[in-house]
């Protein structure tokens, strides 16, 4: 008869795991400056970016009347509105609401009152002359 020994089950591995030093990256967006983008009236605070993969999580601030021109979503885009509102041909998204865009969809967005949104990109939007947001030098 054989005896049972400590096996490599997920529960046992977790008990032996050690914290990863610098495994969590804490951000303080309230201390970050808004950076202008290539689009008039739209500024950005980048919270996470992996340029190689095309991933980005950011805050975007739209001044009243700002328009993001026609663009394509090569991957799903997710957006949560923190304040204000913005809209496209399918509807309007207000503070406290969420919208996501299907892969391959095209649209342009507008904000009459201005907005601050949290945007999560798996790949950058494709505009007529470039992909993604570029930060202007101030």
């Amino acid at each position: 008869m054989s005896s049972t020994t400590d096996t490599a089950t997920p529960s046992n591995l977790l008990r032996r795991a050690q914290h990863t030093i610098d495994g969590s990256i804490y951000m303080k967006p309230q201390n970050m400056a808004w950076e202008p983008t290539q689009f008039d009236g739209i500024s950005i605070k980048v919270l996470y970016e992996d340029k190689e993969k095309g991933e980005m999580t950011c805050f975007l601030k739209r001044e009243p009347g700002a328009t993001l021109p026609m663009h394509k979503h090569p991957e799903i885009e997710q957006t949560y509105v923190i304040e204000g509102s913005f809209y496209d041909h399918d509807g309007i998204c207000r503070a406290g609401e969420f919208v996501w865009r299907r892969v391959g969809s095209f649209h342009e967005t507008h904000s009459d009152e201005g907005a601050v949104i949290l945007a999560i990109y798996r790949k950058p939007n494709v505009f007529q002359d470039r992909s993604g947001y570029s930060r202007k030098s101030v």
Side-chain angles (χ1 to χ4, degrees), residues 35-52:
E35 298 179 53
T37 68
Q38 74 265 42
F39 304 110
D40 289 338
I42 300 177
S43 50
I44 191 169
K45 290 184 181 186
V46 177
L47 303 174
Y48 162 80
E49 185 173 28
D50 184 325
K51 289 182 181 185
E52 190 174 303

Side-chain angles (χ1 to χ4, degrees), residues 70-82:
M70 185 65 78
H71 58 278
K72 178 182 179 180
H73 294 279
E75 277 289 341
I76 291 172
E77 175 194 279
Q78 302 175 71
T79 305
Y80 178 78
V81 179
I82 297 167

